């Protein structure tokens, strides 16, 4: 039997979990059980579903330290960030525990005569969720909790590297059999889930995301796909350079840059280039790659050997093409898959590091003569998820926000970081379909139906 083996990226000899891959047949069986369970789950009503999600939040909170330790161990997330993710996970379950009581439609007057016109939102049935490893608790939660709140059941296919976290999340949630099912596996299981679910939500790579969208669209089912971002930070000459450097360093090196909202391109406008270069180089050097279990660590390991080798190869290629390494650029001298936070200048515009998401603690520094050029650089990518703008001028920040293509724009803050009660998503090829999180998520997981109620005996 094929197994899914998940290893500790800080200690590659540490096998966290070995779980049987369920195969396509196992996914089909899980969908069948979820479809049968959905009828009873929906029949619980708003109060029943709300109570169940509230109990899940309480159970996860009670197991908080266990989940923190598991997150640090399985995906190498630094301790402080792991604690933040667990707290956010609990908060998301509590937030969506109130969603069953939200209005599920509207009442309208008919165009003429007596009667009522209603719109009502109803669940699709089985939600198929395909999730990544970098937020092994929060992303499955912000997909599953709204889907469950409005009456769907869920089949979750986590990334192999986050299998233990997903299994424990579902176990602690304690929902009725078939309501939240985890199917360990890889590409075969993901494809089977997309081929069989009634609605699909995906977060992962662009290449796989496009396949998911094509399959779901071909079946005529709703689909959303978050496919990462090549995120820029614009730093204006009037910025507080020390503050901006601290924000940028956190967005580049935090969790080894393994966030879809991480900063990978720093655009220094005009006279900002020299002081920003100095401040940011210094700030990154103060965030060395270190053991994730330490409370002081910001940059832990990257997820596996393949990720580390891809990053080192890209850095070497950029250097060969004329780039200058301002800081980092080397593997840390310790066991595990560690790369020192890296900042490069003079990277050719056509080089992959300037055009592709590499998902690591690496950023390129780009000069721009003025704000117009900076905005053109920031918008000159197909993956505009998040952009940050750093300036003391509110007028400048608002003008930039109006012209940037990104789905999320943060002023005087790191590009990384989201508010789970607000819509999350990018522009252009970064995202497809409806936004995630907030009340937008419950709309995605429900279909609108129009009901006409007319008096008996009336001809319409």
């Amino acid at each position: 039997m094929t197994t899914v083996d998940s290893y500790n990226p800080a200690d590659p000899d540490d096998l966290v979990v070995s779980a049987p891959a369920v195969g396509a047949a196992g996914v089909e069986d899980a969908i069948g059980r979820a479809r049968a369970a959905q009828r009873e789950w929906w029949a619980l009503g708003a109060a029943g579903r709300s109570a169940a999600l509230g109990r899940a939040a309480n159970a996860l909170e009670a197991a908080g330290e266990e989940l923190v330790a598991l997150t640090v161990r399985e995906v190498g997330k630094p301790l402080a960030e792991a604690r933040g993710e667990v707290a956010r996970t609990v908060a998301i379950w509590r937030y969506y525990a109130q969603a069953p009581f939200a209005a599920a439609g509207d009442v309208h007057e008919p165009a003429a005569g007596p009667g009522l016109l209603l719109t009502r939102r109803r669940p699709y049935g089985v939600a198929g969720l395909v999730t990544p490893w970098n937020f092994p608790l929060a992303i499955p939660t912000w997909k599953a909790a709204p889907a469950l709140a409005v009456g769907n059941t869920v089949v979750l296919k986590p990334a192999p590297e986050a299998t233990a976290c997903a299994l424990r999340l579902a176990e602690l949630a304690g929902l009725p059999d078939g309501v939240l099912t985890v199917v360990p596996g890889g590409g075969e299981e993901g494809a089977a889930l997309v081929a069989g679910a009634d609605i699909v939500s995906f977060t992962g790579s662009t290449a796989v995301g496009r396949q998911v969208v094509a399959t779901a669209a071909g079946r005529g089912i709703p689909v959303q796909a978050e496919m990462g971002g090549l995120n820029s930070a614009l730093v204006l000459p009037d910025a507080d350079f020390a503050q901006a450097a601290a924000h940028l360093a956190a967005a580049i090196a935090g969790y080894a840059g393994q966030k879809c909202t991480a900063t990978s391109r720093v655009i220094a406008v005009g006279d900002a280039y020299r002081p920003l270069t100095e401040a940011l180089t210094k700030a990154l050097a103060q965030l060395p790659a270190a053991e994730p279990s330490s409370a002081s660590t910001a940059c832990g390991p990257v997820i596996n050997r393949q990720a580390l080798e891809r990053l080192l190869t890209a850095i070497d290629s950029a250097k060969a093409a004329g780039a200058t390494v301002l800081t980092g650029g080397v593997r840390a001298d310790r066991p595990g898959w560690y790369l020192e936070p890296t900042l490069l200048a003079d990277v050719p515009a056509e080089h992959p590091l300037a055009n592709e998401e590499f998902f690591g603690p690496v950023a390129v520094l780009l000069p721009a003569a003025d704000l117009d050029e900076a905005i053109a650089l920031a918008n000159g990518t197909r993956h505009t998820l998040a952009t940050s703008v750093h300036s003391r001028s509110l007028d400048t920040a608002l003008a930039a926000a109006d012209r940037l293509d990104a789905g999320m724009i943060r002023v005087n803050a790191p590009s990384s970081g989201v508010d789970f009660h607000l819509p999350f998503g990018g522009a252009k090829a970064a995202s497809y379909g409806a936004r995630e999180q907030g009340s937008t998520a419950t709309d995605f997981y429900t279909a609108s139906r129009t009901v006409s109620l007319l008096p008996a005996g009336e001809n319409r």
Side-chain angles (χ1 to χ4, degrees):
M1 176 181 290
T2 303
T3 61
V4 177
D5 299 327
S6 177
Y7 289 89
N8 180 348
D11 180 5
D13 292 328
D14 176 22
L15 177 63
V16 180
V17 69
S18 182
V22 302
V27 172
E28 292 169 5
D29 178 68
I31 292 173
R33 288 186 287 111
R35 188 158 286 122
Q38 194 270 333
R39 291 187 288 272
E40 293 185 11
W41 178 246
W42 173 246
L44 282 178
R49 293 193 304 279
S50 175
L53 268 61
R55 288 192 295 269
N58 293 339
L60 292 163
E61 184 174 48
E65 285 306 307
E66 174 200 342
L67 291 173
V68 168
L70 180 59
T71 302
V72 172
R73 182 185 175 203
E74 185 169 35
V75 300
K77 180 159 287 194
L79 181 61
E81 289 213 25
R83 285 179 173 150
E85 179 170 353
V86 170
R88 185 197 304 186
T89 297
V90 172
I92 293 170
W93 281 96
R94 290 211 169 109
Y95 174 81
Y96 285 112
Q98 302 308 307
F101 295 108
D106 298 299
V107 178
H108 301 266
E109 291 292 331
L116 290 175
L117 300 181
L118 311 177
T119 61
R120 307 182 75 189
R121 303 198 69 87
R122 290 294 181 264
Y124 285 96
V126 178
L129 313 181
V130 181
T131 58
W133 48 262
N134 60 330
F135 287 87
L137 302 173
I139 292 181
T141 289
W142 82 47
K143 293 179 186 291
L148 294 164
V150 295
N152 299 281
T153 50
V154 166
V155 178
L156 167 65
K157 207 297 288 182
E161 297 88 347
T163 300
C165 285
L167 289 170
R168 189 62 177 138
L169 175 70
E171 183 179 26
L172 286 167
L175 298 171
D177 184 58
V179 172
L180 173 58
T181 305
V182 176
V183 286
E188 177 186 351
E189 288 78 7
L193 184 55
V194 175
D198 300 313
I199 182 170
V200 170
S201 181
F202 167 89
T203 299
S205 71
T206 299
V208 176
R210 287 173 176 166
Q211 295 174 8
V212 168
V213 169
T215 299
R219 294 184 56 220
I221 64 169
V223 58
Q224 63 183 185
E226 292 298 332
M227 296 173 280
L230 186 64
N231 306 307
S232 299
L234 281 61
V235 183
L236 281 294
D238 67 340
D240 180 327
F241 294 117
Q243 181 192 67
H247 289 161
L248 295 178
I252 294 166
Y255 189 27
Q258 298 172 127
K259 304 175 185 179
C260 57
T261 54
T263 295
S264 52
R265 300 195 305 166
V266 178
I267 302 172
V269 182
D271 294 339
Y273 189 88
R274 188 177 297 276
L276 178 64
T277 300
E278 180 180 344
L280 182 53
T281 300
K282 180 179 179 181
L284 282 172
Q286 294 172 348
L287 300 177
E291 169 62 43
S293 60
S294 170
S296 62
T297 295
C299 181
V302 296
I303 192 64
N304 53 36
R305 179 194 298 274
Q306 293 81 1
L308 179 62
E309 290 178 348
R310 181 171 183 256
L311 288 161
L312 290 170
T313 298
I315 292 168
D316 288 343
S317 171
K319 289 163 59 179
T324 301
V325 177
L326 298 176
T327 188
V330 296
R331 180 175 180 175
D333 185 19
R334 61 173 61 242
W337 315 124
Y338 292 90
L339 175 66
E340 295 293 357
T342 301
L343 181 66
L344 299 102
D346 307 314
V347 175
E350 67 278 5
H351 193 275
L353 274 178
N355 294 283
E356 300 175 12
E357 182 185 42
F358 273 79
F359 228 55
V362 179
V364 300
L365 180 62
L366 305 170
D370 52 30
L371 182 59
D372 288 341
E373 183 180 355
I375 290 173
L377 284 169
N379 289 344
T381 169
R382 293 295 300 160
H383 297 88
T384 48
L385 176 61
T387 300
S388 63
V389 179
H390 303 264
S391 171
R392 286 188 173 96
S393 168
L394 178 60
D395 289 349
T396 300
L398 289 175
D402 283 344
R403 297 169 60 194
L404 289 164
D405 290 342
M408 295 179 292
I409 300 166
R410 295 167 61 84
V411 176
N412 294 323
S415 63
S416 55
V418 298
D419 297 297
F420 63 77
H421 56 287
L422 294 176
F424 175 93
K428 298 183 283 193
S431 299
Y432 180 93
R435 292 291 194 246
E436 296 195 275
Q437 304 193 51
S439 60
T440 303
T442 54
D443 286 346
F444 170 70
Y445 288 109
T446 52
S448 179
R449 299 175 181 175
T450 299
V451 181
S452 301
L453 294 178
L454 303 178
E458 292 282 345
N459 292 318
R460 290 289 187 273

